[in-house]
Amino acid sequence: MAKVTTPKPKETANIDHSPPLMKGWMNTPAEIRPGIYCYGAKPKNLEAVGMPFPKEWNPEDENWKLPENWKEIIEEGFKDRLDRFRSFKLFMDICVRCGACADKCHFFIGSGDPKNMPVLRAELIRSVYRKKFTKGGKLLGQFAGARELTEDVLKEWWYYLYQCTECRRCSLFCPYGIDTAEITIIGRELTNLLGLNTDWIAGPAANCFRTGNHLGIQPHAYKDMLDFFVDEIEGLTGIRVDYSLNRKGAEILFVTPSGDVFADPGTYTAMGYLMLFHYLQSQGLDITWSTYASEGGNFGYFTSHEMAKRLNAKMYAEAKRLGVKFIMGGECGHMWRVLNQYMDTFNGPADFLEEPVSPITGTKFENAKSTKMIHLVEFTADLIKHNKLKLDPSRNDHLKVTFHDSCNTSRGMGFLEEPRYVIRNVCNNFYEMPPNTIREQTFCCGSGSGLNAGEDMELRMRGGLPRANAVKYVHEKHGVNMLANICAIDRAALPTLMQYWVPGVEVTGVHEMVANALVFEGETKRTTDLRGNPLAGMEEEEDV
């Protein structure tokens, strides 16, 4: 495929939001444009997880190599999901097309494409629903907002379903509570029945099924990377941290995204995990990592409910094999969306585990009664509240920090105060972005839900424009130079977004800053942070 050139920021920012002069959206086929879509799924990756109709295909080709009975497959899949998911049936029927969601989507804001309005993206599917499953649609056709399922319509579905990060910002503003992300999920399930996935989703899902993580990393490579972190930490602090892998009888199983272990800047967050756990060993923390449940994230969630369930199962399976009491998870977005909303239904009940209780403070995490799994950030916030960590926030004085609420942890599970509490205790310079861009109303990174590829860079930069705009505001007003978050996809996607829109702002996980501030007994004098950057006031020492 030809190399795609991403427009310069000045060109990307030239957006026309006025309604286009056209024949009507139903009669305007999608123009599948390079830079806005991800490559089609490779057959080997669909075959690895038993997905139907694996084939080599190019979204720009006219022939998508569909099976002869593709319409029947979609119609049967549609009917099955209408019967199984009451929410989906409700969302098909109750939208009044008021447009309250229209300007809330970062992809519409960044592109001006009316089919990226959540209401219209959902109408692409609703129009077929009306034609096939409602009397009015069957009798009145377009007068009732109904249309036939054709190849052009199917291509339009695919193109716009993969221009949605399922961030749910639109649902926050819907007066009827319609969750357009759920419509996107079902729509993707339907296209997957025909083998129409993207390889940026199918590849990680297949890797996770084969090896336990999205990157396809084997156990020895996972261990080698953790050993490398141990050496790096010793060089910076003089402390040789200790950790365990696959240890039976440990009290806690720790699961985190593989991106934290193998991709900068997430690697510094993983170093933070190791340092925190070592610090707490003397206080009674008994925790093990796993090379089998070596992925907290879940790209199956971007494929189908069934695939998400299959990939999520490894966490409970490994917890049972090791005989732990409960599970702790690292900083990840879609990992926690799946855990908070689906895990107990997908893979529970986890009766072999115990309700999590902090072995350091005795705090009972009643929010984890059903899943038996807690978030590391809430665990760390509880430690700070009980004065269990010796912290020197001045070690982060070279940073001026703002916080990006990851969509899945904020809107998806209401996780708002804990990360801010931790940041304020490990950092002296913290600045919030404008109120209508954070917390429940947070803007997406523009690259989640399997869109964090290289070939769709224009789409990502357009979708990330609203987030970048808010960062630019605090960058210019307060000199913010660091964007913190608690999501591995954010740590992978936001650095590129910042380089494009707000040069001078870097990206960090919260536990990287915790590790910077953590004071160990017997440590050597700290002159740099985990990245090797000099601490405030230590610049001259580093030059020497």
Side-chain angles (χ1 to χ4, degrees):
M1 296 189 183
K3 185 177 180 181
V4 180
T5 303
T6 305
K8 301 295 184 185
K10 189 174 181 180
E11 299 172 69
T12 306
N14 186 20
I15 305 162
D16 183 8
H17 290 98
S18 60
L21 297 173
M22 58 182 183
K23 297 175 288 184
W25 68 267
M26 283 193 187
N27 303 312
T28 306
E31 178 192 351
I32 297 178
R33 190 162 64 82
I36 303 296
Y37 70 87
C38 296
Y39 299 148
K42 294 178 181 176
K44 67 175 184 178
N45 291 324
L46 296 185
E47 290 166 354
V49 290
M51 295 293 286
F53 302 110
K55 55 185 173 290
E56 291 285 354
W57 68 289
N58 181 351
E60 290 186 63
D61 289 346
E62 187 168 336
N63 182 4
W64 280 20
K65 303 178 182 178
L66 302 174
E68 287 186 12
N69 63 334
W70 71 268
K71 286 188 181 181
E72 289 80 4
I73 292 171
I74 292 289
E75 288 173 21
E76 187 58 37
F78 213 135
K79 183 178 183 302
D80 172 64
R81 284 154 182 80
L82 288 169
D83 291 340
R84 281 197 291 137
F85 301 109
R86 288 179 295 173
S87 59
F88 181 51
K89 177 70 167 66
L90 190 67
F91 296 158
M92 288 292 98
D93 286 330
I94 66 173
C95 177
V96 296
R97 296 174 292 287
C98 67
C101 64
D103 62 345
K104 308 307 186 297
C105 176
H106 47 285
F107 285 117
F108 174 64
I109 295 171
S111 70
D113 186 338
K115 290 181 183 177
N116 269 327
M117 294 178 183
V119 58
L120 192 42
R121 189 185 289 115
E123 279 295 299
L124 304 180
I125 295 174
R126 282 196 191 97
S127 58
V128 174
Y129 161 76
R130 294 189 189 104
K131 185 66 178 177
K132 296 296 178 184
F133 301 103
T134 70
K135 289 181 180 178
K138 290 176 181 177
L139 292 171
L140 300 175
Q142 285 198 18
F143 289 106
R147 61 177 178 166
E148 292 284 355
L149 178 61
T150 65
E151 283 196 33
D152 280 345
V153 168
L154 178 68
K155 290 177 180 180
E156 185 180 55
W157 276 16
W158 182 88
Y159 190 49
Y160 287 99
L161 288 170
Y162 290 91
Q163 290 184 56
C164 172
T165 48
E166 300 172 2
C167 80
R168 304 173 78 221
R169 190 172 195 265
C170 52
S171 67
L172 193 71
F173 296 91
C174 176
Y176 288 88
I178 295 171
D179 188 345
T180 306
E182 289 293 322
I183 298 174
T184 298
I185 292 168
I186 297 295
R188 288 188 179 187
E189 287 195 16
L190 295 176
T191 60
N192 271 279
L193 295 176
L194 305 177
L196 301 179
N197 204 327
T198 71
D199 206 55
W200 196 253
I201 293 173
N207 285 337
C208 199
F209 189 68
R210 286 189 297 249
T211 68
N213 61 73
H214 291 154
L215 300 177
I217 303 301
Q218 298 293 331
H220 62 278
Y222 197 92
K223 181 182 183 302
D224 286 348
M225 200 64 190
L226 292 183
D227 287 341
F228 171 75
F229 293 154
V230 169
D231 291 339
E232 287 291 296
I233 292 167
E234 185 176 24
L236 288 168
T237 68
I239 302 294
R240 183 101 185 150
V241 302
D242 186 29
Y243 73 93
S244 68
L245 278 169
N246 310 322
R247 179 164 55 86
K248 290 187 175 182
E251 184 177 11
I252 304 168
L253 168 63
F254 179 66
V255 181
T256 198
S258 56
D260 281 348
V261 181
F262 291 95
D264 291 344
T267 51
Y268 303 111
T269 303
M271 290 168 69
Y273 302 154
L274 287 167
M275 290 173 68
L276 178 66
F277 297 160
H278 182 81
Y279 182 95
L280 295 172
Q281 279 182 4
S282 63
Q283 298 184 48
L285 185 71
D286 183 18
I287 193 165
T288 188
W289 300 56
S290 169
T291 57
Y292 301 102
S294 52
E295 180 64 67
N298 196 326
F299 270 58
Y301 181 59
F302 312 141
T303 304
S304 69
H305 289 88
E306 180 59 32
M307 190 61 66
K309 175 181 177 179
R310 288 169 68 185
L311 300 186
N312 199 64
K314 66 182 177 296
M315 286 189 266
Y316 278 165
E318 183 69 343
K320 194 167 192 176
R321 186 182 77 88
L322 296 179
V324 300
K325 291 183 179 179
F326 64 92
I327 309 171
M328 187 185 296
E331 299 181 16
C332 182
H334 51 83
M335 166 184 178
W336 284 99
R337 173 82 173 277
V338 172
L339 295 177
N340 191 59
Q341 293 189 303
Y342 299 106
M343 188 172 188
D344 192 39
T345 305
F346 277 174
N347 307 113
D351 295 337
F352 60 93
L353 295 173
E354 300 177 10
E355 186 177 339
V357 176
S358 171
I360 314 299
T361 68
T363 296
K364 181 180 287 188
F365 294 95
E366 295 184 356
N367 57 301
K369 263 183 182 176
S370 63
T371 62
K372 312 298 194 296
M373 186 163 182
I374 63 172
H375 197 298
L376 179 58
V377 172
E378 63 184 324
F379 180 76
T380 301
D382 179 65
L383 293 170
I384 294 172
K385 180 182 176 182
H386 288 87
N387 297 313
K388 297 298 183 180
L389 301 179
K390 186 176 181 181
L391 300 167
D392 180 1
S394 71
R395 290 178 175 177
N396 284 310
D397 278 355
H398 59 305
L399 306 178
K400 292 188 177 181
V401 181
T402 193
F403 180 68
H404 164 67
D405 289 276
S406 304
C407 303
N408 288 312
T409 51
S410 57
R411 272 190 297 273
M413 61 184 294
F415 202 52
L416 305 171
E417 300 305 329
E418 293 89 342
R420 287 175 167 81
Y421 179 77
V422 173
I423 291 171
R424 287 190 171 101
N425 278 275
V426 302
C427 166
N428 290 320
N429 306 307
F430 177 64
Y431 305 93
E432 290 277 23
M433 287 179 273
N436 62 337
T437 71
I438 59 173
R439 297 179 180 268
E440 294 93 339
Q441 296 189 48
T442 186
F443 276 113
C444 181
C445 68
S447 298
S449 192
L451 302 187
N452 187 24
E455 64 268 20
D456 65 335
M457 193 62 72
E458 181 182 343
L459 173 68
R460 291 172 52 193
M461 297 303 100
R462 289 187 179 280
L465 173 59
R467 172 75 297 157
N469 237 2
V471 176
K472 186 176 181 181
Y473 174 81
V474 290
H475 174 62
E476 293 179 348
K477 184 173 182 179
H478 303 293
V480 162
N481 59 12
M482 188 61 78
L483 177 59
N485 63 81
I486 53 172
C487 172
I489 290 292
D490 286 329
R491 287 190 287 281
L494 287 171
T496 305
L497 188 72
M498 293 300 101
Q499 290 164 17
Y500 187 84
W501 288 116
V502 200
V505 176
E506 295 186 85
V507 178
T508 182
V510 168
H511 277 84
E512 177 184 343
M513 294 192 297
V514 171
N516 284 341
L518 203 55
V519 179
F520 286 82
E521 282 189 27
E523 67 180 11
T524 56
K525 184 178 180 181
R526 300 273 288 275
T527 59
T528 71
D529 62 14
L530 291 188
R531 303 186 186 198
N533 297 322
L535 303 182
M538 297 290 182
E539 295 85 357
E540 291 184 6
E541 290 196 31
E542 282 302 298
D543 290 340
V544 174

